[in-house]
């Protein structure tokens, strides 16, 4: 790289950090950038690094991270957080909390919610993310051979001197071995320093079923966890969570005569059958010596026979519906002050090391409601006065979450605490309490706008202006979902038409210094890597050609370069567009909307009709919406209903304009001056006023 290029980058870094906004008429943002790749189908960039440099130049905020502390500090980078869950398979956050609770003598099990009673949930299908628990997959398997450690990957042929270490992230007393013969079994014992002090022989009872040896050893008292160190040696071959403070339970297995080990697993405690999941409950009354383990004697004399968990972790709440693919989550307990204090410290530590200004909490509607827990029987939560699977439980839990997020804001000093709520209307979603709404500074409206969203959805989208009235900021995402490109994957015109319409739709919501624009494809899979085109049409195409950096492809940079000024009043003689809600309506010229018993204050939107069918109905079957800017206009034609594929084929509709304009084309060029515009079905346009 030449010195002139280095000077240019240095100048850019200085000027960018001082610049208030990249584009003249709106601020912009990225969502979860990362995995930069060298482009394969454009000569604009020579490397992944240049793609990253371009991204840094073309957005005002980042929801996620630029994977560079210095770059994060030069912008507003809101990292990723998911406070209401811990992954079933431990992550770094879990390991950190393990270490800190051990240092303070706190039981880490208090970080989780638990069922008080045996519970059955309905599940449409059991995702592969549950395999870690349902198949009893060990966290890690180690082979010790000739004093050396390596990762064990069955099937293995073992020598008599070999040892296998099974490492688990939770205690257990039953496990399965597929081998020629049974092994001798020793169990880890924690020492005063928290590490493994020794191995103790376990009196294991064996039962052979279908070529599987089922082993069970007797625990007279709780089996204490330990850090994965034995005699100053780390019992690890590179698994990060083991090096970050995770405490574990381990077995050491040895076959005196050698054997072929085909499989090794922990016996699951969750039952999956006929689209249901069954979880055992935990009742502290059954644990008479309060060690977090129900011995066989305690089990036979339980006070609550409807709580059958032997180990407390077995009763942790696990959502069974509405999960991401290949995910498995435990629900966080916000009911313990010592846990909330430490958990808040995690975010302070995590944001500082990444150079983040704050973070956005994902999936804010995924709490304790029916969208996560479809209850059949049981469901009472030990730490809360509610059962899962209803709005009351979700609302109560959300209030506790708000209290915790206040702790995070105090510890970090952030003014950039964000939430992903997608299309959720906070005033009309009964499970969302006011404290949770009030604690947030920024809102990520994921997939909020799409080409075929229709008039009805537009007229229901007043909540964006209600949030703005509260002083909150929003990133409003426009996607190609449901647009022309879904049925015309090879058409560059279809893709660009969807993006042009998406920008026009965004400009209906744009508020200076309040909103950020982001353009994306049909999927929820984000990143800075290259586009894909699947010639076999298996559904993985996300652009009409492959090898193009995604954010560069989707952001209409040349259109954004054209200033249309700032939103302004409705032109004289035009009728305002009415808002629509479940309980009432309000004119755009008013600033209040009655929702139930609450009067919601709104920032003025100043939308108006260029055309509507019938001219009498406030909610027409078809129409052309418009919003005036000080130096431009945006328009959108649609029917009332969303996603009507046949409407794309509608005959173009000619409508008169309030003044003389030139259409902004995708390459930044302007059309000839015009007094009217012709719009196809579900089409939006950005116009520049002719002075």
């Amino acid at each position: 790289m030449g010195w002139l290029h280095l000077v240019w980058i240095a100048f850019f870094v200085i000027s960018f950090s001082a610049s208030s906004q990249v584009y003249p008429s709106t601020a912009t943002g990225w969502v979860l950038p990362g995995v930069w790749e060298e482009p394969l189908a454009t000569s604009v960039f020579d490397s992944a690094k240049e793609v990253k440099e371009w991204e840094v130049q073309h957005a005002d905020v980042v929801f996620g991270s630029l994977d560079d502390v210095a770059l994060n500090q030069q912008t507003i980078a809101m990292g990723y957080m998911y406070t209401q869950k811990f992954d079933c398979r431990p992550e770094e956050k879990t390991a950190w909390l393990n270490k800190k609770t051990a240092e303070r003598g706190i039981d880490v099990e208090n970080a989780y919610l638990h069922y008080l009673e045996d519970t059955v949930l309905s599940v449409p299908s059991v995702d592969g993310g549950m395999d870690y628990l349902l198949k009893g997959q060990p966290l890690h398997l180690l082979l010790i051979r000739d004093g050396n450690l390596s990762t064990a990957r069955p099937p293995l042929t073992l020598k008599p001197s070999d040892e296998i270490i099974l490492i688990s992230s939770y205690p257990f007393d039953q496990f399965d071995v597929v081998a020629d013969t049974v092994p001798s079994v020793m169990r880890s014992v924690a020492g005063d320093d928290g590490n493994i002090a020794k191995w103790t022989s376990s009196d294991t009872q064996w039962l052979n079923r279908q070529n599987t040896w089922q082993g069970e050893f007797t625990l007279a008292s709780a089996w204490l966890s330990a850090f994965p160190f034995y005699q100053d040696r780390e019992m690890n071959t590179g698994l990060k969570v083991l090096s970050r403070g995770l405490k574990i339970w381990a077995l050491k297995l040895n076959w005196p005569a050698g054997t072929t080990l085909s499989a090794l697993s922990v016996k699951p405690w969750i039952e999956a059958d006929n689209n249901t999941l069954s979880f055992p409950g935990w009742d502290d009354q059954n644990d008479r010596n309060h060690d977090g383990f129900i011995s066989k004697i305690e089990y036979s004399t339980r006070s609550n026979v409807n709580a059958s968990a032997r180990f407390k972790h077995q009763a942790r709440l696990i959502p069974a519906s509405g999960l991401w693919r290949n995910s498995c989550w435990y629900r966080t307990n916000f009911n313990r002050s010592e846990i909330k204090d430490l958990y808040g410290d995690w975010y302070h530590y995590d944001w500082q090391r990444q150079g983040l200004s704050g973070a956005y909490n994902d999936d804010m509607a995924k709490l304790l409601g029916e969208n996560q827990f479809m209850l059949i029987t049981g469901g009472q939560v030990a730490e809360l006065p509610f059962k899962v699977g209803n709005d009351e439980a979700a609302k109560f839990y959300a209030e506790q979450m708000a209290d915790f997020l206040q702790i995070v804001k105090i510890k970090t000093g952030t003014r950039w605490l964000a939430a992903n709520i997608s299309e959720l209307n906070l005033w009309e979603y009964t499970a969302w309490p006011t404290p949770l709404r009030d604690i947030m500074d920024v809102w990520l409206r994921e997939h909020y706008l799409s080409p075929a969203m229709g008039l009805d959805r537009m007229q229901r989208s007043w909540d964006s202006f209600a949030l703005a009235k509260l002083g909150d900021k929003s990133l409003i995402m426009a996607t190609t979902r449901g647009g022309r490109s879904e049925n015309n994957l090879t058409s560059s015109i279809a893709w660009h038409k969807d993006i042009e319409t998406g920008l026009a739709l965004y400009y209906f919501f744009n508020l200076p210094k309040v909103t950020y624009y982001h353009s994306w494809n049909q999927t929820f899979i984000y990143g800075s890597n290259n586009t894909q085109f699947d010639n076999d049409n298996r559904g993985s195409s996300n652009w009409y050609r492959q090898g193009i950096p995604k954010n560069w492809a989707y952001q209409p940079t040349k259109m954004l370069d054209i200033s249309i000024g700032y939103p302004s009043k409705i032109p004289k003689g035009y009728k305002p567009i009415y808002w629509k809600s479940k309980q009432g309506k309000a004119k755009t010229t008013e600033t209040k909307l009655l929702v139930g018993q609450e009067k919601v204050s709104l920032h003025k939107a100043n939308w108006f009709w260029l055309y509507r069918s019938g001219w009498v109905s406030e909610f027409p079957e078809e129409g052309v919406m418009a919003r005036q800017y000080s130096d431009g206009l945006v328009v959108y034609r649609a029917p009332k209903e969303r996603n009507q594929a046949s409407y794309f084929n509608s005959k173009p509709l000619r409508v008169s304009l309030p003044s003389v304009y030139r259409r902004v084309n995708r390459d930044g060029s302007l059309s000839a001056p015009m007094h009217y515009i012709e719009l196809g079905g579900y089409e939006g346009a950005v116009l520049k006023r002719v002075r």
Side-chain angles (χ1 to χ4, degrees), residues 290-578:
H290 305 294
D291 64 352
F293 167 68
I294 306 295
S295 67
K296 288 189 174 181
I297 294 176
E298 288 176 325
Y299 189 86
S300 64
T301 57
R302 285 172 293 158
S303 300
N304 181 1
V305 295
N306 293 320
S308 59
R310 295 285 307 284
F311 299 90
K312 191 170 183 177
H313 74 88
Q314 294 175 342
R316 292 177 186 173
L317 262 65
I318 299 178
S321 300
L323 305 183
W324 299 343
R325 187 178 179 185
N326 295 321
S327 63
C328 176
W329 304 329
Y330 295 126
R331 273 287 168 261
T332 307
N333 180 15
F334 295 118
N335 206 34
R336 299 293 293 255
S337 59
E338 73 278 14
I339 293 296
K340 289 191 292 184
D341 184 64
L342 273 179
Y343 198 13
D345 287 342
W346 157 257
Y347 289 109
H348 181 263
Y349 158 77
D350 188 43
W351 297 356
Q352 276 198 328
R353 66 174 178 156
Q354 295 188 62
L356 302 174
S357 300
Y360 81 90
N361 203 109
D362 207 1
D363 287 333
M364 291 293 283
K366 293 184 176 179
L367 302 169
L368 295 182
E370 190 177 10
N371 63 336
Q372 296 276 275
F373 299 87
M374 299 171 63
L375 184 62
I376 297 177
T377 60
Q380 179 62 51
V381 183
E383 294 82 4
L384 304 176
F386 292 99
K387 292 189 174 186
V388 297
N390 58 80
D391 285 347
E392 291 77 17
K395 186 174 182 179
F396 187 87
Y397 187 65
E399 289 173 347
Q400 290 191 325
M401 187 175 174
D403 290 340
F404 169 68
L405 290 173
Q406 180 62 49
I407 292 173
V408 173
K409 293 190 79 169
I410 292 172
K411 285 181 176 288
T412 62
T414 185
R415 294 182 294 109
W416 295 92
L417 185 63
N420 178 8
I421 58 171
S422 193
E423 295 179 346
L424 185 68
N425 185 312
L426 303 186
W427 284 266
E428 295 185 319
Y429 179 54
T430 57
W432 194 284
T434 300
L436 194 54
R437 186 175 71 213
D438 292 344
I439 199 67
M440 293 297 176
D441 308 302
V442 190
W443 304 91
L444 171 55
R445 311 310 301 269
E446 188 179 28
H447 286 242
Y448 196 63
L449 308 176
S450 58
M453 65 186 297
L455 302 181
D456 185 71
R457 180 55 64 94
M458 287 285 284
Q459 289 182 265
R460 289 182 181 273
S461 298
W462 51 265
D463 60 315
S464 177
F465 295 96
L467 291 169
K469 190 66 175 179
L470 293 175
D472 292 354
K473 302 178 186 298
S474 296
L475 180 139
I476 299 177
M477 184 186 294
T479 74
T480 59
R481 175 168 288 195
R484 291 168 172 79
S485 57
E486 278 201 359
N487 296 316
N488 298 277
L489 291 173
T490 62
S491 170
S492 64
I493 294 175
W495 280 98
H496 286 292
K497 184 69 73 175
D498 284 346
I499 289 175
E500 289 176 38
T501 296
L503 178 59
L505 287 170
Y506 167 78
Y507 274 136
F508 274 88
F509 295 86
N510 176 41
L511 295 171
K513 302 185 183 301
V514 175
T515 61
Y516 301 90
Y517 165 69
H518 178 63
S519 178
W520 196 244
N521 59 38
Q522 298 100 337
T523 75
F524 290 91
I525 302 172
Y526 304 106
S528 306
N529 53 333
N530 292 333
T531 57
Q532 296 177 330
F533 185 81
D534 182 5
N535 289 314
D536 295 327
N537 197 25
R538 292 191 294 262
S540 61
S541 296
N542 49 39
W543 194 238
Y544 62 90
R545 61 189 301 203
Q546 64 181 12
I548 306 293
K550 288 179 183 174
N551 283 323
W552 184 72
Y554 304 143
Q555 188 184 85
T557 306
K558 297 298 184 181
M559 294 185 72
L560 288 165
D561 280 335
I562 303 299
S563 174
I564 61 171
Y566 49 86
S568 58
K569 296 186 297 183
I570 296 174
K572 187 175 180 179
Y574 287 87
K575 300 297 183 183
I577 292 173
Y578 282 64

Side-chain angles (χ1 to χ4, degrees), residues 53 68 127 156 165 294 343 422 447 462 483 658 688:
E53 289 172 356
D68 183 293
D127 187 80
L156 286 169
I165 305 291
I294 306 295
Y343 198 13
S422 193
H447 286 242
W462 51 265
K688 175 80 171 176

Side-chain angles (χ1 to χ4, degrees), residues 666-682:
R666 71 186 189 194
D667 61 358
S669 64
L670 301 175
S671 72
M674 55 189 181
H675 295 272
Y676 61 84
I677 187 172
E678 289 190 348
L679 295 170
Y682 290 127

Side-chain angles (χ1 to χ4, degrees), residues 613-626:
S613 58
W615 286 107
V616 176
S617 172
E618 297 162 351
F619 308 105
E621 295 299 318
E622 183 185 20
V624 178
M625 293 178 161

Side-chain angles (χ1 to χ4, degrees), residues 25 563-569 627-633 661 687-691:
S25 293
S563 174
I564 61 171
Y566 49 86
S568 58
K569 296 186 297 183
R627 191 188 195 198
Q628 184 167 245
Y629 277 68
S630 59
D631 202 20
L633 186 78
Y661 297 90
L687 309 176
K688 175 80 171 176
R689 186 193 302 273
V690 175
R691 294 292 183 181

